[in-house]
Structures are given as C-alpha cells and as structure tokens.
Amino acid sequence: MEGFAREAHRAYIKRVSEDADSFEYAVSEHLRMSGVYWAASALYLVGALDDLNRDDVIAFVFKCQHDCGGFGGNVEHDPHILYTLSAVQILCLFDALDQLDVEKVLAYIGSLQQPDGSFYGDEWGEVDTRFTYCALCCASILGRLDALDVPRAIHYIRACENFDGGFGCVPGGESHAGQVFTCVGALAIAGALEHCQRDLLGWWLCERQTPGGGLNGRPQKDADVCYSWWVLSALSLLERDAWIDSAALRKFILSCQDVQGGGIADKPGDEADVFHTFFGIAGLSLLHDESLEQIDAAHALPVKVLERIQSQRKAASD
Amino acid sequence: MKLADVFSDLEPLEQNEGPQPVVQIAATPQFVEVMGYFRRVLVNQEFSQRALQLSAQAIALNAANYTAWQFRRRCLTELHAASSEEQRLAAWRDELEFCDEQCRNNMKNYQVWFHRRACVEQVGEPQKELQFIEEILAEDAKNYHAWGHRQWALRTYSLWADELSFVERLIKEDLRNNSAWNQRYYVLQHTTDIKSPEVVKAEIAFASKWIEIEPNNDSSWAYLKGIVRPVGYSAYPEVQQMCERLAAGALDEAAGPTQEGDASKICLNALSLLVDILQAQNTPKGTARAEALCKQLQRLDPIRINYWIWRAQQPRAMG
C-alpha cells in the first residue's frame, strides 16, 4: 500500500492556494477564508506552514473584517460566524492573535446568540448547531467563554439530540455525523460532555464505519474522507475512538490520495480538493500518525498552537 | 442588453485582496464582469431592479454566494417599501418561483433553502411547500435541507394532518430511507405522547413489520430502539421475541466458521439488540448469555471488535 505522500500534498496545497485560474479557486470565492484555514492547517500538520506567506495571509484576513467585528468569507463579503471562526483559527496558526481586537469579535459572536441559546449564522437569522460550535470554539480560543451564555447554548444543543443519540442541525433534524461533531465539540468546549449519551452515541458513530474502512455521515450513505475527521474527532472527544478499526480507516484515507498530483479526494479515484485534503490529514493526525503534528479534536487546531496560546495568555495575566 | 450598457454609469469593482495570489480571484471573463458590477452595487447599496437581476446572474455563477442571496432579500424589501400590499406579494411570489428553480438546481445549498423560507414567510402560502418538497425528495429522498425545510413548514404552520401517511409512503418506496424514519419520529413527537403505551405498542408493530421484510436495515432497528429504550424493554416482550427469532438463524450460522460475505446474511442488529435487552434484565443468566453473544459478535462484526469486547465487560451500557 502507498504511504502518506507528504511532499506531494505539500506541493498540491501550495499550488491550489496560488493558482487563481483554477475552477476550484473561482467557485470557492465566497468561502476563501475557510479555504485558507484548510490549507494553512493542513500545511501546519505536515510541518510546512511557512509555505504560505504569513504577511499576505494576515493582511487578507483583516481585509475581510467588518466594523461589527465579524469576518466575511472574502473581501467585500458580508460577515458570517463560519468565516469569523476560520479567521480566528488562521490568526492562531500564524501566531497573530495579538493583532486582533478580541472584544470586538466577542461582541459580534455574542450578538448572534438567541434567547433559546442557539446562534444565528449572521444577521439574517439562519440557525444551525454548526453556528453554536463556531461561537463556542471562537470564544474558547480567545479565552473568553464567559462572553457567551454557555448554559443556554448547552440547553439548545441538548434539544437537538435524537432518539439514536446523535444530533441534527436544529431540533428534530436527522442525526448527521457533521452535526454530531459540532454538538459534541461544543459540549466538550463547554465542559459539558456529560449531556451526551456517550455509549449510545459512540455506537452510532462506530456504526458509521463501512466494510471498506471509511466512515459515512448517515446510515446507507457512502464513505467519504471528510467524515474521517467528523466521526473520529467526536469519538475521540467521547473517548470511544478505540471502537473503530483504525488501521482500516487509515488505509481508506491513504487510498484517497493522489500520490502523484498531491491532495486527497472524498473517495478513491475522485479528484482531490483542499477541503478533503485537510480533513484527510486531520483524520490521520487523530489516528496518531507520528509524522504529523497532533490536532486538537475539539478546536480543530494543532495541539501545539493551542498550548502556545494558553501560555501566552498566562504570561500576559501574570 | 450587455452588462456594460446596463451599468454604463458604474465602474466595476475588482476583487482586491493584496499583492499575493494566495488570496486573489481570477476566473472566466464573464465571472469577472458580473462580479465586478455586483461588488459595485453592493458597495453603493443600490437597491434597484437591475441590481436584483444582476444578483441573479451572480447566483447563477455561484449559488453558494451568500452575500448575493442576502442582497436579494434586502433589495426586495427596499424596492417594495412603499409598494401596495398586492405589489409586494407579487414580487415575493416571483421570488419564490425563482427559488423553485434554484432549489432544484442546488439541492444541497444552504443559502437557497434559507432564502426560500424567507420567501414563504413573506408570501404566507405554506401548503404549496409540502408539494414542492415532495418533488425535491422524489429526486433525492435524503436531502437534508429539504427535510429541514419540511419540518419547519409543518411546525410553523401546523400542517401535520397527512404527514404520517406521506412518511409511510416513502418508507414503502425505500425502507432504508433513514430520513423518513427520522421524520416519523418527529411527527409523533409533535402530535402524540411518544412514551405512552399505545404509541409505543403501535410503533413496535410498525417497525417490526419493516424489520420482518428486511432484517438487515439499520434504520428500522435504530427507530425501534429509539422508541422502546427510553420506556424499557421489559414491558414489551414482543421485541425480545422478535430478536430471538431473527437471531436464531444468525446463531446457527455463527456456530460454524464465518466466511467472507457471511455477515450480510446474519442479522447483526437482532443480536445487538438482544445484548441490550439481556443486559438490561440484570440477571446472572441474562448477563452470561449477553456476554456469550458479545463473543459471537466479535467474530461476526470484526471491524467493531473492540466495541464488542467492551460491551461484554459493560453489562449496563445500554440499559
């Protein structure tokens, strides 16, 4: 079997980050911020963050910030909580949080919380547990969970729990591994994992492993590399990750690599993209691949980066 | 008419992201032109018919452009701030029609479904939504957004009356449609006391009917467990009886060495639920039998072998 094609992936990420003429580049204009986060995180995990130009990236991030404190997916795009989290995560990766007006970002995130504890994605009022995760993750990274009404946020997440132990995007929404990650991640960040039915949910998550070793997002769906991250991170936070067959999953992820051209696809034989490249590498990191930096399952940031932020915060308060 | 003529009074606004292309955009000339004018009307906050049409072009190029969708809502609101109620409704009806097409073409897009909800709220004719979603589900029966939209319409406008029969029809079409099973639970949760003995009994019968037809269906088993587990298996011995019967074949098979492909014939779900039920009984006999079953499952479900090892040691895990 092929090994992990580190150098090919590194070259691929650099190439797609710079090739402004690619189709992928054009259609991802509205989520460029997340694209930069996926690229930068993947590069960090393979120990090559320096492949991106730090100053350019940071300048771009701040160009997307609005007066309200939120960030858009690109320059001139409206602010949204999804891209606000990506922006904060990028600044963490590049050790540039000191340039951020933290209070302003917190004010923006706080303004999106609703009386029922849920979060809007932006001023237009779409509600989704993804946004709850973004809010809690962001506030946690910034060391200011106190800026949000965390008990109410937990209450809302609990309302999204289903009969199978999984979670949906709103109360009643079908259990979906992506939403399970956001809910379990948010509860982990809030220190409230006792509200999950760990064993029932752990079983639902390990049922996601298909005979081919890959993980799917819902019953009867095909395996897809992105669930390597969502399912495995949730299992890992629940301390149930030993329940799946790690070797089979690793083999599946590696089979989705483009060994020559670099990058990882959603499934074997498909074309690679940055999104799946990041989630594939993040999955391998959670599987304790020793050639990769370790990733934190709750914050989706390298463990080293979070440790650095914590020690900086401690030093600042001492 | 060419864009350059429609917007002859405006200068297109280029995407300006800094010196390095790591964060720069370039695409087809059409993309560049449309987005150039669109950025300009955004910056100018121009809420006009031509700007509304331009946003449709931006959406045609990329339906996930959430800013373009937001702009349309804002634009329609501003354009009809002083219109008669009739004119305003007509405009939003047109918008809903625009949305029909967009939903069909971009079924997995968050923005279009959220926009649709805003239109329905303006127009206030939710009955049509159920029909529309049915059409969408006919193409993609598990579309997460369509189901979410349907639940919203049912809940917001109390349209529950025919939903159970709709769901049953979908299950008939595909008994593995997990979204439909989830919807059944959702309807009962909102219209009945889902823990009452009558509902539990009726739902056991419903799920069992589909399990008998196809014993290897995770969705019907998950539903059955979701209904009975919260009220306890002991009051409903018919569940254990069914498991025993369906597991019997599996146990015969399990007596011999398993071969590749055997697992698909063996009803793992029946064995698995039997473990739950026996362990919940909390008797020495039940626990011992559950442990033996877990040993079988380690062999029959090797990809989850660690789970079954753990289950054997955790007699109260799913009780």
Side-chain angles (χ1 to χ4, degrees):
Chain A
M1 193 184 56
E2 306 279 1
F4 179 66
R6 179 181 181 277
E7 287 311 312
H9 298 324
R10 190 178 159 182
Y12 167 80
I13 295 165
K14 191 171 164 61
R15 192 168 71 246
V16 296
S17 299
E18 292 178 354
D19 180 7
D21 290 323
S22 70
F23 173 74
E24 184 184 347
Y25 210 91
V27 296
S28 63
E29 178 190 358
H30 66 285
L31 47 70
R32 180 62 19 87
M33 187 69 79
S34 296
V36 173
Y37 159 72
W38 296 324
S41 300
L43 287 173
Y44 193 106
L45 293 177
V46 301
L49 184 67
D50 292 344
D51 285 0
L52 295 182
N53 183 316
R54 181 179 189 271
D55 293 344
D56 287 342
V57 171
I58 293 170
F60 163 73
V61 168
F62 282 110
K63 266 197 162 178
C64 297
Q65 192 174 24
H66 293 252
D67 292 339
C68 64
F71 290 79
N74 206 330
V75 181
E76 316 280 354
H77 282 230
D78 292 340
H80 197 288
I81 198 164
L82 288 170
Y83 309 116
T84 302
L85 173 61
S86 292
V88 169
Q89 285 170 320
I90 295 166
L91 295 176
C92 290
L93 287 166
F94 286 100
D95 194 11
L97 269 188
D98 56 330
Q99 299 179 39
L100 183 70
D101 184 340
V102 171
E103 291 306 319
K104 217 166 140 182
V105 175
L106 291 169
Y108 171 72
I109 296 169
S111 76
L112 296 172
Q113 190 166 23
Q114 302 307 302
D116 66 357
S118 68
F119 284 83
Y120 284 178
D122 61 17
E123 60 169 316
W124 290 95
E126 188 186 2
V127 167
D128 190 315
T129 45
R130 289 182 302 150
F131 309 148
T132 303
Y133 169 76
C134 291
L136 265 68
C137 187
C138 213
S140 167
I141 290 169
L142 299 174
R144 289 292 312 279
L145 271 179
D146 62 294
L148 304 175
D149 188 337
V150 175
R152 266 181 209 270
I154 294 171
H155 187 261
Y156 184 77
I157 295 171
R158 294 181 69 187
C160 297
E161 190 187 28
N162 290 318
F163 60 81
D164 49 21
F167 293 87
C169 66
V170 289
E174 184 185 354
S175 294
H176 180 289
Q179 306 293 152
V180 168
F181 160 71
T182 63
C183 291
V184 171
L187 288 175
I189 286 167
L193 274 178
E194 72 271 18
H195 295 303
C196 288
Q197 302 183 68
R198 279 182 193 239
D199 298 331
L200 184 63
L201 176 53
W203 168 245
W204 186 87
L205 287 164
C206 82
E207 271 189 305
R208 305 278 59 76
Q209 192 161 30
T210 64
L215 300 161
N216 66 16
R218 287 188 272 168
Q220 300 301 130
K221 290 279 194 174
D222 291 337
D224 180 318
V225 160
C226 62
Y227 295 108
S228 309
W229 166 257
W230 286 316
V231 173
L232 194 54
S233 58
L235 278 171
S236 153
L237 292 169
L238 296 169
E239 295 171 320
R240 300 290 181 270
D241 43 329
W243 287 358
I244 62 157
D245 186 336
S246 315
L249 175 59
R250 183 181 157 83
K251 202 170 154 189
F252 174 79
I253 298 173
L254 292 178
S255 73
C256 297
Q257 296 181 108
D258 180 341
V259 179
Q260 266 87 47
I264 300 175
D266 59 346
K267 50 194 68 150
D270 282 3
E271 191 156 338
D273 60 65
V274 172
F275 175 86
H276 289 94
T277 302
F278 165 64
F279 286 114
I281 293 175
L284 291 172
S285 167
L286 281 181
L287 290 171
H288 310 293
D289 187 312
E290 285 184 357
S291 69
L292 296 171
E293 288 290 334
Q294 239 190 307
I295 191 162
D296 180 84
H299 297 86
L301 279 173
V303 171
K304 268 188 196 160
V305 168
L306 286 169
E307 286 172 353
R308 184 189 65 219
I309 292 166
Q310 269 156 14
S311 69
Q312 285 167 343
R313 194 171 294 135
K314 193 168 175 296
S317 67
D318 281 349
Chain B
M1 211 162 152
K2 282 184 180 164
L3 268 190
D5 297 332
V6 178
F7 293 98
S8 56
D9 56 319
L10 297 185
E11 233 357 84
L13 179 60
E14 299 310 325
Q15 185 81 308
N16 179 12
E17 299 166 333
Q20 280 287 315
V22 75
V23 281
Q24 203 177 59
I25 180 82
T28 64
Q30 189 206 6
F31 192 98
V32 172
E33 186 186 27
V34 170
M35 293 312 292
Y37 286 116
F38 184 63
R39 282 182 210 106
R40 178 60 68 194
V41 300
L42 273 182
V43 168
N44 291 0
Q45 302 229 335
E46 179 187 317
F47 303 115
S48 62
Q49 256 334 307
R50 68 173 188 178
L52 189 66
Q53 280 160 10
L54 181 65
S55 68
Q57 291 192 43
I59 285 166
L61 290 168
N62 178 12
N65 184 341
Y66 62 104
T67 296
W69 287 105
Q70 289 173 357
F71 179 79
R72 285 186 77 79
R73 291 192 286 279
R74 181 86 195 275
C75 201
L76 280 164
T77 307
E78 299 283 345
L79 271 174
H80 294 285
S83 303
S84 70
E85 182 61 7
E86 220 167 288
Q87 282 173 320
R88 199 185 63 83
L89 273 179
W92 280 100
R93 278 200 191 100
D94 287 348
E95 188 64 6
L96 194 54
E97 234 169 80
F98 173 73
C99 240
D100 283 357
E101 204 49 39
Q102 294 298 325
C103 285
R104 287 200 179 93
N105 297 338
N106 306 284
M107 281 198 276
K108 294 198 172 172
N109 172 297
Y110 285 95
Q111 286 76 24
V112 59
W113 287 100
F114 184 68
H115 188 72
R116 183 169 190 92
R117 184 183 297 194
C119 294
V120 175
E121 281 173 340
Q122 293 293 330
V123 174
E125 294 164 357
Q127 304 80 0
K128 289 181 187 165
E129 287 309 284
L130 298 188
Q131 180 54 41
F132 177 77
I133 296 160
E134 194 170 340
E135 289 168 33
I136 295 286
L137 293 175
E139 282 185 50
D140 178 6
K142 297 172 188 174
N143 184 291
Y144 202 87
H145 305 289
W147 281 110
H149 189 70
R150 190 172 183 94
Q151 291 188 344
W152 168 79
L154 290 170
R155 188 177 66 238
T156 308
Y157 301 98
S158 283
L159 306 173
W160 305 102
D162 300 321
E163 192 61 7
L164 274 188
S165 54
F166 170 71
V167 169
E168 190 164 358
R169 205 161 74 234
L170 289 195
I171 292 175
K172 268 183 195 151
E173 282 168 22
D174 174 13
L175 52 82
R176 296 181 199 273
N177 184 342
N178 197 59
S179 307
W181 286 97
N182 183 68
Q183 184 76 347
R184 185 171 179 92
Y185 192 93
Y186 184 75
V187 175
L188 292 173
Q189 205 178 20
H190 282 81
T191 55
T192 67
D193 172 5
I194 205 160
K195 288 189 176 181
S196 68
E198 308 81 68
V199 174
V200 173
K201 263 201 133 29
E203 292 315 294
I204 291 173
F206 181 84
S208 303
K209 182 179 84 180
W210 291 104
I211 288 171
E212 299 281 0
I213 293 170
E214 174 50 75
N216 281 311
N217 175 11
D218 290 347
S219 298
S220 50
W221 284 100
Y223 182 81
L224 177 67
K225 288 194 254 187
I227 290 284
V228 192
R229 199 177 41 82
V231 292
Y233 293 106
S234 58
Y236 301 94
E238 63 266 43
V239 178
Q240 182 173 356
Q241 284 157 16
M242 179 175 69
C243 290
E244 296 280 9
R245 196 158 34 74
L246 292 170
L251 291 173
D252 291 344
E253 294 254 4
T258 48
Q259 287 153 13
E260 200 77 22
D262 268 358
S264 65
K265 291 184 215 132
I266 294 166
C267 190
L268 293 178
N269 277 301
L271 288 169
S272 163
L273 181 50
L274 206 46
V275 171
D276 291 358
I277 294 171
L278 290 168
Q279 288 189 339
Q281 287 167 358
N282 201 19
T283 60
K285 204 177 148 201
T287 306
R289 218 185 129 207
E291 204 180 319
L293 287 175
C294 285
K295 286 226 169 75
Q296 306 276 21
L297 281 158
Q298 289 167 32
R299 204 156 53 83
L300 297 170
D301 188 19
I303 206 163
R304 279 168 277 273
I305 182 172
N306 290 338
Y307 173 78
W308 294 115
I309 291 171
W310 178 85
R311 267 313 290 276
Q313 300 155 352
Q314 300 288 324
R316 300 289 295 157
M318 300 285 178

